[in-house]
Amino acid sequence: REPTQTDLAYLAGIIDGEGTLTIMYNSGRNVGYFSIGPRMIIANLSDDLFIWLGNLLYVGTIKDARKYRGGTCKQNDMSGLKVGDLLKRLLPYLIIKKKQAELIIRFVDLRMQVQTGVYTPEMLEIFWKVRRLNLDQKRFDQLVQRVRTSQHAEILLPHLETTSQMA
């Protein structure tokens, strides 16, 4: 079924409270290969929530994430360009994660204009901006160190400096 305005507002509230909107960095096994792309994660203990999400979205994967005294935390994971389409519909209702959503939508719009494996300077700057919004300083520094020691440092790190100057 097509999501109602109420469905979209409720989902936006769940994402604001229980979700993560990010751009992931993955380095491949092939020398020189890496990818960055949008990802939306919702974690919760409620089976009913994930049944509702499955019926509403028809996309993403659901997996057990962690065990707690209250039960097993499940996680819905959605990645790729379809995240941008969903965020466009949720944007009017997002409050806490609105900035991440706006940046990810822009990233997806840019991604649609270039071939796979190509990242424009603006896309790389958006990657760093989103990661800075989402991570505390210690975890952000760990990501920077991971990139710094990777074979992709010369591509990714100059855009971190540009982003830092804009902040």
Side-chain angles (χ1 to χ4, degrees), residues 63-167:
K63 64 181 181 180
D64 290 347
R66 291 188 191 107
K67 299 248 186 239
Y68 290 96
R69 278 188 241 162
T72 300
C73 182
K74 292 181 178 38
Q75 179 175 300
N76 178 284
D77 195 330
M78 181 178 177
S79 60
L81 301 181
K82 60 190 170 281
V83 173
D85 293 335
L86 178 59
L87 291 178
K88 285 178 184 176
R89 298 177 76 187
L90 297 177
L91 195 59
Y93 307 105
L94 288 166
I95 298 169
I96 308 301
K97 309 260 171 63
K98 189 176 200 102
K99 184 65 176 170
Q100 287 94 325
E102 290 169 340
L103 288 166
I104 291 169
I105 290 167
R106 178 68 181 146
F107 178 91
V108 169
D109 289 345
L110 292 167
R111 187 78 195 93
M112 298 296 289
Q113 298 172 26
V114 296
Q115 69 186 49
T116 301
V118 173
Y119 302 100
T120 67
E122 185 179 359
M123 292 168 71
L124 297 171
E125 289 169 15
I126 290 170
F127 162 74
W128 286 113
K129 286 178 184 178
V130 170
R131 296 313 297 258
R132 189 177 294 281
L133 285 169
N134 286 347
L135 299 173
D136 62 33
Q137 191 61 49
K138 179 180 177 184
R139 292 179 65 210
F140 185 79
D141 291 345
Q142 288 170 344
L143 172 64
V144 171
Q145 185 57 35
R146 186 174 140 221
V147 170
R148 186 170 278 129
T149 59
S150 78
Q151 56 194 348
H152 315 113
E154 65 186 42
I155 297 168
L156 289 168
L157 288 177
H159 302 285
L160 169 63
E161 299 307 318
T162 303
T163 304
S164 297
Q165 293 167 3
M166 295 172 147

